[in-house]
DNA sequence: CGCAAGTACCTTTTT
DNA sequence: GGTACTTGCG
């Protein structure tokens, strides 16, 4: 029995070519993941390669998990010590082990986007740069772009004032992070590359260990990532990259589509295998998608074919408004359900997160369960970030961003003025805020340029004492218990639960606690924080739970569904108007459209609305120019009746966090809601009564305030 | 210093 | 329609 028996000739060739550089160009639905899994299984099972000598890099943690599962299935056992993960996760691991030689703290924290933004703002403030002239966002993306290309501040061009500002903020930002013992996402890659370049013995160690290197979604790698791969593979040269230039959609994040060209240049002996047979979609869907992508100019033509049936035409549905668009989707989903299509096989995809709102409301109203991916990401919620900031401080008190975040949460008399004073002192002494706090205790304090009042000093010392005490406790406790202690001792629990939507926020904190409790005991705080810092929302997408998936086109990459609805197929939305002036970006929009369409197995619906609300104003978008490339014969168009069908459902719609009153139980707050056919089940926490589950249509509930 | 009310600016996509 | 930041008062 051959492990590769089930593969077609091209797939088989891709899996069998295990020595030397290999480029696999894999069209959508071409069984790419299968090939990767088979290739690794073949290496281990037939080639006798130890799993620990293989590194496989994926785009998301979720893809890594899926790959591991398939692999275990193929091998009939665990693939064990195989190194498998995202670039960021793998680099973080390497830096934890090797970072000391380049001066990294073993307990470095990883700053996410939010933290990075805080650090940029702090840097701008320290430099006295007007944040109205230079938006922190813009500066951050310039810094991030530079880092993704392995550029240091000194490497940046200096053609004028703006460049000069960018360079100086970048420098300042680096100092701030260093002082905080923090690395941002880009650092994980950049530092690993620098480590490899500057420490030949370390590089040699990894080159020797990893005989085989495999990189998925290669079209979405940036310069730093490619450099990392090249360094690692320089010795063994067994590097396999898998990608599809037509699915490159992360140019805005400095992904460089040219890496594919560079690969063929850097490894001129590379074999190239094209996987062109599509096993996923109907002929019709594939043709529509192919027509869209064929219009890109900067593209090598690539034929895709399928033996699947032609299937139904693609439906183009035109709605009056965003709300009606959502209703059309929901109505069609209900119809499909009667035909036996499970909800988990339906996905609604959109260009921008803001579009999810109307869809969510329609699902709620018509009682369709849904899984919303990524709108307000769990780990981005304020209360979750607050608790994580506390945990980080226990591990690494130098972390300035986290410290400033919680120093006055709950309010403990350390206000803005004091915080500014602390930051100024930290800068003057080139020290962390934590060090500055320690000095407050020293006698020289009164002689400081601007001494602190007795009241403030006392508040600071109390905060510092509390921190020390908690750090002590952290040595002995498991993460979940530590969270309990922390929430109690800092007063954060009482503080957050007292807020208007406090119980919901508290639930989120409890969910974070249960995430921690789900890790094996004995796993340290560092590991926990690292995992938590590197997860994305799609990672937790549950393929089993029943419900429609609401997801952005970007996040949908790598997924597939029986039925796909693409909403907002309009000029201005898809393609997004911000891309209009830039031809490269317009081509990326087109690829995004292509990625979305090729997620569908059996049915594809394209929707557009004549009017759409954008930032309060109503705009009328013309149909997407991309539709012009689709032959009419492949489409059925229907414009829905202009009058909207009356909403069949209760007039009062409740959402989490709504304040309500009940005839019997009095005042309460909605904790969660669950759509039930034709109704809504709400869980309400009543003051002094407790938590009750109620059916909206029956319960004498009414919403407080905001009249409607 | 803390809090409430007001204002500017937003919205592309995320490891 | 929402948030993040600023202003002004107690």
């Amino acid at each position: 029995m051959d492990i590769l028996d089930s593969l077609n000739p091209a797939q088989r060739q891709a899996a069998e070519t295990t020595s030397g550089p290999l480029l696999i160009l894999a069209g959508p639905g071409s069984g790419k993941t299968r090939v990767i899994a088979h290739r690794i299984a073949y290496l281990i099972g037939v080639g006798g390669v130890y799993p620990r000598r293989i590194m496989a890099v994926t785009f998301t943690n979720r893809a890594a998990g899926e790959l591991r599962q398939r692999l275990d299935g193929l091998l009939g056992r665990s693939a064990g010590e195989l190194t498998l993960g995202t670039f960021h996760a793998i680099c973080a691991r390497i830096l934890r082990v090797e970072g000391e030689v380049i001066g990294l703290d073993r307990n470095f924290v990883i700053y996410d986007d939010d933290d990075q933004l805080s650090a940029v703002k702090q840097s701008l403030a320290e430099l006295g740069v007007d944040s109205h002239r230079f938006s922190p966002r813009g500066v951050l993306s310039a810094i991030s772009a530079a880092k993704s290309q392995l550029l240091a501040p000194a490497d940046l061009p200096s053609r004028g004032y703006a460049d000069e500002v960018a360079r100086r903020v970048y420098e300042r930002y680096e100092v701030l992070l260093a002082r905080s013992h923090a690395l941002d996402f880009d650092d994980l890659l950049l530092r690993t590359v620098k480590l490899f370049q500057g420490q030949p013995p370390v590089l040699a160690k990894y080159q020797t260990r990893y005989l085989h290197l495999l990189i998925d979604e290669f079209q979405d790698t940036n310069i730093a990532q490619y450099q990392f791969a090249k360094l690692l593979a320089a010795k063994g040269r067994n590097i396999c990259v898998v990608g599809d230039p037509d699915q490159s959609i992360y140019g805005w994040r400095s992904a460089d589509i040219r890496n594919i060209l560079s690969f063929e240049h850097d490894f001129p002996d590379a074999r190239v295998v094209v996987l062109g047979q599509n096993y996923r979609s109907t002929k019709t869907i594939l043709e529509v998608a192919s027509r869209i992508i064929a219009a890109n100019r900067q593209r090598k033509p690539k034929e895709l074919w399928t033996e699947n049936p032609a299937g139904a035409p693609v439906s183009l549905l035109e709605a009056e408004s965003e709300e009606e668009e959502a209703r059309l989707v929901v109505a069609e989903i209900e119809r499909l359900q009667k035909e036996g299509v499970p909800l988990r096989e339906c996905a609604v995809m959109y260009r921008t997160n803001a579009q999810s709102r109307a869809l969510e409301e329609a699902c709620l109203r018509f009682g369709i369960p849904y899984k919303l991916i990524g709108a307000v990401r769990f780990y981005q919620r304020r209360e979750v970030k607050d608790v994580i900031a506390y945990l980080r401080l226990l591990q690494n008190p130098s972390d300035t961003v986290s410290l400033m975040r919680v120093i006055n949460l709950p309010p403990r008399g350390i206000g803005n003025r004091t915080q500014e004073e602390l930051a100024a002192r930290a800068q003057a002494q080139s020290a962390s805020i934590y060090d500055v706090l320690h000095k407050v205790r020293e006698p020289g304090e009164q002689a400081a340029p601007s001494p602190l009042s007795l009241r403030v000093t006392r508040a600071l010392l109390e905060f510092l004492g509390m921190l020390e005490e908690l750090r002590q406790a952290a040595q002995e406790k498991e993460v979940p218990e530590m969270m309990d202690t922390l929430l109690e001792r800092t007063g954060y629990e009482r503080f957050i639960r007292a807020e208007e939507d406090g119980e919901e926020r508290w639930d989120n904190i409890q969910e974070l606690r249960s995430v921690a409790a789900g890790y094996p005991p004995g796993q340290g705080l560092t590991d926990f924080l690292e995992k938590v810092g590197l997860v994305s929302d799609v990672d937790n997408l549950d393929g089993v739970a029943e419900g429609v998936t609401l997801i952005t086109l970007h996040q949908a990459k790598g997924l597939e569904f029986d039925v796909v609805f693409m909403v907002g197929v309009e000029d201005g939305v898809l393609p997004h108007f911000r891309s209009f002036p830039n031809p490269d970006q317009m081509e990326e929009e087109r690829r995004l459209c292509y990625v979305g369409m090729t997620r569908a197995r059996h049915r594809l619906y394209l929707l557009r609305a004549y009017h759409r609300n954008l930032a309060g104003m109503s705009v009328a978008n013309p149909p997407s120019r991309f539709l012009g490339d689709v032959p009419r014969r492949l489409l059925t168009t229907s414009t829905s009746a202009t009058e909207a069908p009356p909403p069949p459902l209760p007039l009062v719609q409740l959402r989490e966090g709504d304040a309500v009153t009940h005839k019997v139980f009095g005042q309460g707050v909605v904790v969660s809601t669950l759509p039930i056919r034709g109704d809504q089940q709400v869980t309400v926490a009543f003051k002094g009564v407790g938590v009750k589950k109620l059916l909206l249509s029956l319960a004498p509930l009414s919403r407080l305030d905001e009249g409607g």
Side-chain angles (χ1 to χ4, degrees):
Chain A
M1 264 314 277
D2 190 330
I3 201 168
L4 304 181
D5 269 352
S6 65
L7 302 182
N8 74 29
Q11 291 177 329
R12 190 181 173 109
Q13 197 198 350
E16 269 176 353
T17 309
T18 55
S19 87
L22 172 68
L23 168 62
I24 302 174
L25 293 172
S30 61
K32 180 190 70 166
T33 313
R34 271 190 83 213
V35 170
I36 295 175
H38 278 83
R39 189 170 189 278
I40 297 174
Y42 181 78
L43 271 171
I44 297 171
V46 180
V49 176
Y50 288 119
R52 72 181 306 275
R53 315 210 62 177
I54 302 171
M55 179 189 286
V57 189
T58 57
F59 193 69
T60 60
N61 295 302
R62 182 172 181 281
E66 268 178 18
L67 184 55
R68 186 173 284 277
Q69 238 183 348
R70 280 200 190 218
L71 213 45
D72 291 352
L74 284 173
L75 292 170
R77 62 188 159 91
S78 165
E81 283 187 273
L82 176 81
T83 299
L84 172 59
T86 61
F87 276 108
H88 293 89
I90 289 174
C91 288
R93 220 175 306 157
I94 294 175
L95 291 175
R96 287 270 179 233
V97 179
E98 314 287 347
E100 249 162 335
V101 296
I102 51 169
L104 293 185
D105 186 320
R106 268 187 51 82
N107 285 329
F108 68 80
V109 290
I110 298 168
Y111 275 1
D112 70 9
D113 188 66
D114 237 37
D115 307 316
Q116 284 179 278
L117 200 60
S118 304
V120 168
K121 284 177 188 162
Q122 178 74 35
S123 309
L124 287 169
E126 284 181 15
L127 288 171
V129 174
D130 179 8
S131 62
H132 292 285
R133 276 197 64 191
F134 297 94
S135 83
R137 263 274 153 233
V139 176
L140 174 56
S141 69
I143 292 176
S144 176
K147 287 187 164 189
S148 319
Q149 296 171 74
L150 302 169
L151 299 176
D155 301 326
L156 291 187
S158 45
R159 294 156 305 199
Y161 182 57
D163 287 342
E164 182 65 19
V165 169
R167 218 194 64 222
R168 292 185 52 198
V169 180
Y170 182 5
E171 272 166 1
R172 188 87 228 134
Y173 171 90
E174 290 289 285
V175 170
L176 209 70
L177 259 65
R179 213 179 276 158
S180 296
H181 301 235
L183 298 183
D184 63 25
F185 281 139
D186 301 308
D187 280 329
L188 296 175
L189 302 161
L190 182 142
R191 297 301 189 102
T192 309
V193 168
K194 296 285 176 207
L195 170 76
F196 282 172
Q197 287 172 337
Q199 308 287 331
V202 176
L203 175 60
K205 172 177 157 189
Y206 285 90
Q207 283 178 334
T208 311
R209 166 165 175 185
Y210 292 109
L211 291 178
H212 292 273
L213 178 59
L214 190 145
I215 298 167
D216 192 13
E217 305 286 7
F218 188 63
Q219 76 282 352
D220 287 321
T221 53
N222 63 30
I223 302 269
Q225 290 165 334
Y226 181 45
Q227 198 62 36
F228 168 82
K230 240 168 49 176
L231 283 164
L232 211 51
K235 197 164 159 223
R237 292 175 53 83
N238 297 319
I239 176 173
C240 168
V241 300
V242 188
D244 178 2
D246 289 336
Q247 293 184 65
S248 160
I249 54 175
Y250 284 93
W252 53 274
R253 212 173 71 189
S254 305
D256 201 326
I257 200 168
R258 286 170 307 183
N259 279 345
I260 291 192
L261 299 176
S262 306
F263 185 81
E264 291 185 86
H265 177 260
D266 293 334
F267 299 94
D269 54 332
R271 310 267 298 267
V272 180
V273 177
V274 181
L275 304 180
Q277 181 171 2
N278 177 297
Y279 294 92
R280 180 185 297 155
S281 309
T282 64
K283 281 198 177 69
T284 306
I285 292 172
L286 197 61
E287 186 174 350
V288 168
S290 299
R291 292 295 187 116
I292 299 271
I293 199 70
N296 266 356
R297 305 194 60 84
Q298 299 181 47
R299 168 176 189 268
K300 248 175 117 170
K302 179 169 73 215
E303 264 326 298
L304 294 179
W305 78 97
T306 183
E307 289 170 1
N308 289 343
V314 170
S315 303
L316 178 62
L317 304 181
E318 304 184 314
E320 180 57 31
S321 65
E322 201 169 11
E323 290 74 26
E324 196 194 280
E325 181 186 60
R327 276 198 297 271
L328 289 176
V329 169
V330 167
E332 190 59 21
I333 288 174
E334 288 191 317
R335 202 184 62 74
L336 289 165
Q337 248 187 313
K338 287 183 196 123
E339 285 181 8
V341 179
L343 283 178
R344 66 170 179 283
E345 282 302 339
C346 298
V348 191
M349 302 181 183
Y350 35 84
R351 178 65 177 82
T352 67
N353 272 311
Q355 291 171 258
S356 67
R357 193 197 172 91
L359 294 161
E360 203 183 350
E361 275 169 12
C363 283
L364 224 44
R365 178 178 293 188
F366 290 84
I368 302 278
Y370 61 90
K371 295 175 273 186
L372 177 66
I373 312 298
V376 184
R377 304 220 286 295
F378 180 71
Y379 290 105
Q380 224 166 280
R381 297 198 177 152
R382 176 164 62 89
E383 62 277 14
V384 173
K385 288 221 66 175
D386 289 344
V387 174
I388 288 177
Y390 267 118
L391 289 172
R392 281 172 166 185
L393 270 189
L394 304 185
Q395 178 208 245
N396 169 17
S398 308
D399 180 347
T400 302
V401 168
S402 295
L403 191 138
M404 289 307 244
R405 183 181 182 100
V406 298
I407 195 168
N408 206 28
L409 273 183
R412 46 174 78 93
I414 307 173
N416 271 335
R417 281 288 311 271
T418 309
Q419 289 176 32
E420 276 167 25
E421 173 62 22
L422 292 174
R425 290 186 184 193
Q427 195 187 350
Q429 301 167 17
S430 299
S432 69
I433 305 273
Y434 182 67
D435 296 333
V436 172
L437 283 180
H438 274 290
K439 292 205 176 117
V440 170
R441 221 181 328 217
E442 290 169 10
E445 159 59 26
Q446 288 314 311
S450 32
L452 302 161
S453 75
L454 186 64
R455 199 177 62 173
V456 166
T457 307
R458 199 175 292 153
L460 289 174
L461 289 179
E462 189 166 322
F463 176 69
L464 184 61
M466 182 184 75
L467 214 57
E468 307 277 66
E469 189 188 308
L470 287 170
R471 289 188 64 201
Q472 198 59 45
Q475 301 296 312
E476 295 140 26
K477 296 192 189 207
E478 295 286 338
V479 180
E481 287 71 37
M482 194 54 231
M483 282 179 63
D484 297 337
T485 309
L486 178 161
L487 288 162
E488 217 270 290
R489 178 68 179 87
T490 58
Y492 191 80
E493 173 176 355
R494 222 170 321 133
F495 166 71
I496 202 73
R497 294 182 87 162
E499 290 197 1
E500 197 171 344
D501 41 6
E503 287 309 313
E504 189 191 342
R505 295 190 187 277
W506 180 244
D507 284 349
N508 288 330
I509 291 172
Q510 288 308 302
E511 190 169 335
L512 181 67
R513 188 195 187 278
S514 65
V515 170
Y519 287 119
Q523 181 171 48
L525 196 49
T526 307
D527 277 356
F528 172 68
L529 289 173
E530 182 162 312
K531 290 219 171 86
V532 154
L534 295 175
V535 294
S536 74
D537 227 52
V538 253
D539 293 342
N540 300 315
L541 178 60
D542 184 348
V544 184
E546 208 37 45
V548 181
T549 300
L550 309 182
I551 194 167
T552 65
L553 288 164
H554 281 90
Q555 291 181 307
K557 190 179 69 166
L559 304 179
E560 55 182 315
F561 301 89
D562 284 346
V563 181
V564 169
F565 296 86
M566 281 174 63
V567 296
V569 185
E570 299 149 28
D571 255 31
V573 178
L574 182 69
H576 195 272
F577 71 93
R578 299 262 305 233
S579 302
F580 286 175
N582 183 328
D584 288 349
Q585 282 182 38
M586 283 300 277
E587 298 216 340
E588 186 153 309
E589 295 288 314
R590 203 178 264 285
R591 293 193 292 269
L592 197 52
C593 182
Y594 174 73
V595 166
M597 290 175 157
T598 53
R599 300 307 94 200
R601 293 194 195 98
H602 306 315
R603 299 271 352 220
L604 175 61
Y605 295 83
L606 308 176
L607 291 99
R608 62 172 282 243
Y610 289 104
H611 300 283
R612 181 176 299 279
N613 290 324
L614 227 124
M617 292 209 300
S618 177
V619 266
N621 288 323
S624 172
R625 63 190 71 183
F626 298 160
L627 291 171
D629 300 304
V630 180
R632 301 302 297 172
R633 66 184 162 83
L634 299 175
L635 280 180
T636 56
T637 305
S638 64
T639 303
S640 87
T642 33
E643 51 187 309
L649 275 189
L651 298 160
V652 197
Q653 280 295 319
L654 294 178
R655 301 179 57 124
E656 291 176 19
D658 279 352
V660 292
T661 60
H662 185 277
K663 285 227 170 76
V664 181
F665 301 133
Q667 292 197 7
V669 177
V670 177
V671 176
S672 65
T673 64
L674 182 73
I676 292 189
R677 223 176 157 60
D679 206 335
Q680 198 181 11
Q681 184 195 64
V682 290
T683 308
V684 183
F686 289 101
K687 283 195 184 107
V689 179
V691 178
K692 301 276 176 200
K693 283 194 171 155
L694 306 161
L695 218 48
L696 189 56
S697 58
L698 303 174
L701 269 178
S702 56
R703 183 159 51 184
L704 282 178
D705 60 58
E706 59 165 310

